[in-house]
Amino acid sequence: MSSTEQGTSSAAPAEPTTAPESAAAPEVPESFYYVHGKDKVVHKVSAGALQHSALIHGMISNLGYTEEQAKANPFPFENIDGDILQMVVDWCNQHKGKPTPPEDTNLPKQKEKLFDLVLAVNYLEIKELLTYCCKQVAMMVKGKSPEEIREIWMIPTDAEDEAAEKEAKKRAGKEAAGETAAAAGDAK
Amino acid sequence: MPIALLKFPNDFLREVFRLCDPFDLYKLSKCSKTCSQKATMLRDTKKWKIGFSALNNAAIWVDGSIYYFNQTDNPEDYFKTKNSGMNSTHMDVEFPIVDLFIYLVDTFGIRIVRIMGIGSDNFHNVLKVAQVLIDRRMEIESFRIFDVRKEQDVVNFMPLMKQMNIIQEFKCFLKFPPNFHFEFVKYPRHIYIDYSSWFTIDQLLDCTSAWIDLEKSSLNNHDLDVFLQKWKKKGTFPNLRWLEIGSEKIDDQSPILEMIPPIKNVTNPRKKVSINGGGYIIDGVRATKDDGTEGWLKVELGGWPILKFLV
């Protein structure tokens, strides 16, 4: 059972739960779709929440799935970790049908997840969440010294860059030499 | 918790760097050349404008804010920022100011100088900076000469100024020696000269500026009549929008456009004509060019005779 609101999930093929509805019931019954990440945990998400993702919105806009068809065909996002997809789904639910506030307090706070979150959000084309992630990354270095910035953003020094470049050239040279030797062997 | 910034996709990095101000990118440039080059490319810093003030600091104009870089000798103050309101922030840096200016221009690929001023305290630095601007063929939007103690220094500087590409504005508040002479190679859009006795009628007749303001001038009624008669001819002074001449030599002894000063319209109800940029004339007399273009003239006498002409 997956509860996208509470962040608790179980592995598929368990029955997914419905995200809580907004207080005012919509006049037209809302349609739901199903997504899962690398961990196969299925999340049931309303079409309204999924509108935040340009990628998914484009996928579902002309499908016309029935509830059963949607349940039987969850969208697989195998390149996204389960906990990251959970964060994204949570965010989409929290911001369903609402203008996003300038200072979003619902952003995931775990910086160790930020990199994966950015990749997922970038892939799913969730523009507003991407903007917030960018802001969070940019704010990490405000008022910091160059040395602190280098540590926070893990920026290699010029010497490290040069060493890496030399190493890469050396490796490429060895590979090229190996390929030449192999080709010569084949010719014999 | 650190994150490996450079592993992010470029679209994301572009957005992150868009949120970075010039101080952030300056500090980033101190971290690594590779990272700095990526940041300046994605941030499109070539569009930034730089300034060099008479107070001996460098500033960058971007997105409606001004970022001042001030030199300090105290390492404890390096990279400390201070907000001074009105969208301006200051940061102390370690560079000597001219080196810093060159570093900012080169690191961020800046092509335009928003404003540059020459004063007593920064004269020798301006000499060096001016040469850099000339060598790099940079555009200077506004150049100002303030009161410099040794005016001969500025006289010696003027040949260098001739080579500077001043586009928008030239303002001069310095009183040059009586024998001073200077010819503009190219006129900026707006000139204001406080002690303008060196600016002759021949220069005025050649001037292509849109806004000309000459104070403490030595031009007389005859000069101004010659200028305005020329203006009336088709195709002359196509840029001119505002002319203001303050001169003790304007008097009521000879006509300007067939009128003896003071010149103002007293028969009609008061009428104000204004143009963008702040110039206005109340009770001006209409003057019409051969091509039908309308101008408004007003000449006042008294302690400080003044001619105003608006197109």
Side-chain angles (χ1 to χ4, degrees), chain B residues 102-227:
Chain B
I102 297 168
Y103 181 85
L104 294 173
V105 165
D106 289 346
T107 303
F108 298 136
I110 298 173
R111 304 296 311 146
I112 297 173
V113 175
R114 170 73 185 78
I115 191 166
M116 184 169 165
I118 186 168
S120 289
D121 295 335
N122 74 343
F123 179 76
H124 295 287
N125 286 337
V126 167
L127 277 183
K128 294 176 198 164
V129 168
Q131 193 58 60
V132 170
L133 304 182
I134 293 163
D135 293 345
R136 286 166 172 71
R137 296 179 183 176
M138 289 176 68
E139 277 187 9
I140 300 139
E141 287 187 345
S142 173
F143 185 72
R144 297 176 184 183
I145 300 175
F146 296 100
D147 200 10
V148 178
R149 280 187 293 276
K150 293 179 184 171
E151 67 267 17
Q152 190 56 41
D153 281 346
V154 184
V155 174
N156 298 338
F157 166 79
M158 294 306 272
L160 202 59
M161 198 191 93
K162 264 189 190 178
Q163 300 175 54
M164 290 163 60
N165 188 14
I166 302 168
I167 302 291
Q168 297 279 352
E169 178 187 86
F170 170 71
K171 288 192 174 183
C172 181
F173 302 90
L174 180 68
K175 188 176 183 179
F176 283 105
N179 60 349
F180 174 71
H181 181 73
F182 178 75
E183 294 274 354
F184 285 88
V185 175
K186 186 179 138 194
Y187 284 95
R189 193 172 156 72
H190 182 161
I191 58 169
Y192 170 88
I193 303 170
D194 195 0
Y195 295 89
S196 66
S197 56
W198 54 269
F199 196 92
T200 64
I201 180 60
D202 288 338
Q203 286 177 281
L204 184 61
L205 291 170
D206 286 339
C207 184
T208 55
S209 298
W211 190 290
I212 306 167
D213 191 343
L214 305 173
E215 300 301 326
K216 303 175 189 72
S217 166
S218 56
L219 299 177
N220 59 29
N221 290 27
H222 176 69
D223 295 329
L224 297 169
D225 185 52
V226 168
F227 177 85

Side-chain angles (χ1 to χ4, degrees), chain A residues 63-79:
Chain A
L63 277 178
Y65 271 177
T66 62
E67 179 72 20
E68 286 69 30
Q69 285 171 320
K71 200 182 284 185
N73 298 288
F75 292 108
F77 296 107
E78 306 283 358
N79 54 340

